[in-house]
Amino acid sequence: MNIDLSAQSPGAVYALLTQAIIPRPVAWVLTQNADGSLNVAPFSYFTPLSSAPPLLGFSVGRRGDGSPKDTAANLAARPNFVVHIAHAELLRDLNASAADLPPGTSEVATLGLESVPFAGSTLPRLSRPRVALCCRVHRTVPLDPASQTFFIGEVDRLYVHDDIVAKDASGRLTLDPATLDPVARLGSTAYGLLGEVRHLPRP
Ligand SMILES: Cc1cc2nc3c(=O)[nH]c(=O)nc-3n(C[C@H](O)[C@H](O)[C@H](O)COP(=O)(O)O)c2cc1C
């Protein structure tokens, strides 16, 4: 089948793209609400972008009523944020944090997630994810005419749980994907977990 996307509704395009481009990593993004409480939500339109400077990006749509999602509103006012990579045990919490709560409601408090200080970061990190990236907004790109905004973040600090870090023969830090155990988003309500990991030498 060869599908002309220009003949599809935005909803159908969303469904097709998000089921075709899989698996996607999920940025579990923590921002600060105006009252100082913590907001956390998952975003799978997410990717690393460059290493020097270290940049990542994720895009945020709008709520059904057209109002901005808390993450976007928070980042417009307070540019610091923390991206977490959730492992399989955290999948239920990750998914639950996508609930459409009233603006300003803290998912961290509602879901009983624990946060801990993140050395070098003004914001805390969630205690359980094995990876956390301390970021601040580098650039905000409106994706007109879509009601989507692409946030590019510069990563200042990387937290990795000691259990996943090792050093290779040349002394470079390596992270073990199986111990990290990341969840990935597939289409619709489907998530993927890491399967077999294969190593191939670079040609
Ligand atoms: C796994 C997963 C990935 C998601 N990815 C995105 C995304 O990339 N962009 C987006 O706007 N919403 C995405 N959503 C929906 C948001 O998480 C949801 O709208 C959430 O309520 C936003 O929270 P906030 O208002 O606290 O920012 C995703 C939901 C799930 C469960």
Side-chain angles (χ1 to χ4, degrees), residues 22-28 42-44 46 83-97 129-131 177-186 189-195:
I22 59 165
R24 292 189 304 286
V26 183
W28 205 10
F43 296 92
S44 66
F46 165 53
V83 171
H84 306 82
I85 303 298
H87 53 276
E89 256 178 34
L90 296 174
L91 181 54
R92 280 185 182 281
D93 285 336
L94 174 104
N95 187 62
S97 72
R130 296 179 178 129
V131 166
T179 313
L180 174 53
D181 190 23
V183 299
R185 191 169 193 204
L186 309 176
T189 55
Y191 291 92
L193 304 177
L194 205 62

Side-chain angles (χ1 to χ4, degrees), residues 86-165:
H87 53 276
E89 256 178 34
L90 296 174
L91 181 54
R92 280 185 182 281
D93 285 336
L94 174 104
N95 187 62
S97 72
D100 217 353
L101 300 176
T105 309
S106 170
E107 290 85 0
V108 174
T110 309
L111 296 172
L113 299 171
E114 187 191 32
S115 63
V116 292
F118 187 175
S121 163
T122 55
L123 290 177
R125 61 175 173 83
L126 298 178
S127 63
R128 294 185 65 202
R130 296 179 178 129
V131 166
L133 303 110
C134 163
C135 310
R136 78 197 126 73
V137 173
H138 171 82
R139 197 174 298 173
T140 300
V141 185
L143 301 178
D144 296 326
S147 51
Q148 200 89 12
T149 303
F150 189 56
F151 290 96
I152 299 178
E154 180 155 2
V155 186
D156 295 324
R157 292 244 161 195
L158 171 66
Y159 161 82
V160 282
H161 193 288
D162 286 347
D163 286 356
I164 68 171
V165 192

Side-chain angles (χ1 to χ4, degrees), residues 1-14 16:
M1 189 179 281
N2 182 326
I3 305 168
D4 176 4
L5 291 189
S6 68
Q8 303 284 324
S9 71
V13 171
Y14 167 80
L16 288 167

Side-chain angles (χ1 to χ4, degrees), residues 67-87:
S67 63
K69 296 189 181 184
D70 285 349
T71 301
N74 287 346
L75 289 178
R78 290 166 294 281
N80 295 316
F81 63 102
V82 178
V83 171
H84 306 82
I85 303 298
H87 53 276

